[in-house]
Amino acid sequence: CDDRFNNEAVVSTQSTGDQMTCTEGDMNITDCSADLMDHDCSAGESVWLECEEGSSDAEWQVIGAHLYSVDDAGEPYESENAGVVIVYLHMSDGSQEAYGSLCDDRFNNHAANLACQYLGHEGAIRWGNVASNDEYMSRSDLERFEVDTVVDDMTCPETARNITDCSSDLMDHDCSAGESVWLECEEGSSDGEWQVVSAGLYRNVGDMEIEPSGSAGVVLIELAMTDDESRRAFGTLCDDRFNNHTAQLACQSLGYAGVTQWGNVGSMGEYISRSVLEELGLSTVVDEMTCPADATDMNSCDADLMDHDCSAGESVWLQCENDDDDDDEIDDDDEENYIDLEFGGVKLALNLGNVRERIHF
């Protein structure tokens, strides 16, 4: 029905109802209010829309999270290791921002541990929702502050070593305020840090299978924690701040003469497409790689590990140039052929023999 319907609702609507009210600050139809199955409308008040054809390639991305509680005066504050999880999102094209709570649908102990580790702690002591424990923030507090759910159905497989290995629905939920997650995390943080242990160029060769692809392919990087090598992550290099000079050094670090061409999978998905990366759960593990103009190798470059704001479409591919006397194929028998590198204080030990092994997901 058209009661209270306005242009704000036109921009975001995906459902119908009576008395639909969307304020200027609403980012999604789920932020609007409406009366369902309760109306005083005639058929002539039914709304029609003319929508712009197609859709934007932009998508919601998580850019950060914190734990919040309320003080004795009822005001919210950022707490250190215990509180309600508040997640910050933005659209990949920078057009919109949003923040809100994490719903407990599909959330479990493993996801809680990974969430606490993402926030800089050792792991989770306990967790729950505000309906069962309002010590940090009550359901009425969330409603008073107009904090809606922005992350739902977070699913972390048992093999996940980092929150980036988990899947979730962003800005699409069926949760009440009472289902918002709180965490109590172990104080302190690990002394370990992420380090690069291998890197190479890869292509898709079939359903759920990728393999090293010689001198051209999508850059995939494996990381491990310095104090616990069982904690590993495998994913892509984002194109944020990446440039021709960095591409040249990257190809040289992989054993080639230089770069002939580079780009991201959003503009060219010949090696591994954006959809395949998403299906395989290969997210960004290296972002903001920056190499000064006078850098002659990767030792002078810097990068953010396991901290990014990138979509799968921003994953870098490289076409590297061989030396005249080099073969594009890597010798499987050359098991001792290592290149030791370091960037941003992070060691990279690339075994050119081992990268020929296929990786199955």
Side-chain angles (χ1 to χ4, degrees), residues 99 149 152 220 257 298:
Y99 70 90
T149 298
D152 189 17
L220 294 183
M298 298 297 285

Side-chain angles (χ1 to χ4, degrees), residues 68-79 134-138 141 144-145:
Y68 277 84
S69 300
V70 293
D71 59 22
D72 293 339
E75 295 300 317
Y77 68 94
E78 185 178 336
S79 45
D134 60 2
E135 175 182 353
Y136 304 109
M137 196 176 291
S138 68
D141 288 329
R144 176 165 57 94
F145 299 133

Side-chain angles (χ1 to χ4, degrees), residues 117-345:
Q117 289 167 6
Y118 172 80
L119 293 170
H121 303 287
E122 291 282 359
I125 300 173
R126 63 182 185 131
W127 68 277
N129 63 40
V130 301
S132 60
N133 178 12
D134 60 2
E135 175 182 353
Y136 304 109
M137 196 176 291
S138 68
R139 178 174 183 165
S140 61
D141 288 329
L142 291 169
E143 292 171 344
R144 176 165 57 94
F145 299 133
E146 298 182 348
V147 176
D148 197 11
T149 298
V150 296
V151 181
D152 189 17
D153 286 328
M154 178 172 284
T155 306
C156 301
E158 292 183 2
T159 56
R161 299 292 184 182
N162 192 279
I163 202 72
T164 58
D165 298 326
C166 306
S167 63
S168 61
D169 295 332
L170 304 183
M171 301 300 288
D172 181 14
H173 73 92
D174 57 359
C175 305
S176 66
E179 295 175 85
S180 300
V181 170
W182 55 263
L183 292 171
E184 288 185 11
C185 302
E186 295 183 46
E187 292 190 37
S189 60
S190 169
D191 292 331
E193 58 182 18
W194 287 107
Q195 66 175 359
V196 177
V197 294
S198 67
L201 303 176
Y202 290 80
R203 64 181 177 182
N204 178 221
V205 293
D207 292 340
M208 304 299 283
E209 185 178 347
I210 59 175
E211 69 173 10
S213 53
S215 61
V218 173
V219 180
L220 294 183
I221 300 171
E222 184 180 16
L223 308 179
M225 287 294 288
T226 54
D227 64 343
D228 181 5
E229 290 193 358
S230 67
R231 286 184 61 193
R232 290 179 175 256
F234 187 70
T236 62
L237 165 65
C238 183
D239 65 359
D240 288 353
R241 298 193 180 181
F242 203 80
N243 58 24
N244 293 339
H245 180 49
T246 307
Q248 179 78 2
L249 296 178
C251 280
Q252 290 171 357
S253 75
L254 294 171
Y256 300 103
V259 66
T260 58
Q261 191 175 359
W262 71 276
N264 64 42
V265 301
S267 59
M268 198 275 280
E270 175 183 346
Y271 304 112
I272 306 177
S273 69
R274 175 176 180 164
S275 61
V276 169
L277 288 173
E278 292 172 342
E279 185 179 2
L280 294 175
L282 289 173
S283 58
T284 299
V285 295
V286 179
D287 188 18
E288 304 283 354
M289 181 172 282
T290 307
C291 300
D294 59 353
T296 57
D297 55 44
M298 298 297 285
N299 295 332
S300 304
C301 303
D302 193 13
D304 294 336
L305 304 185
M306 300 303 291
D307 182 13
H308 74 93
D309 57 358
C310 304
S311 66
E314 295 174 86
S315 301
V316 169
W317 53 261
L318 294 172
Q319 292 178 2
C320 299
E321 180 183 4
N322 285 314
D323 287 320
D324 293 340
D325 296 333
D326 287 345
D327 192 321
D328 187 46
E329 293 296 319
I330 300 172
D331 186 356
D332 290 329
D333 297 327
D334 189 10
E335 295 294 330
E336 302 302 322
N337 185 15
Y338 283 86
I339 295 178
D340 291 328
L341 301 171
E342 187 172 324
F343 65 85

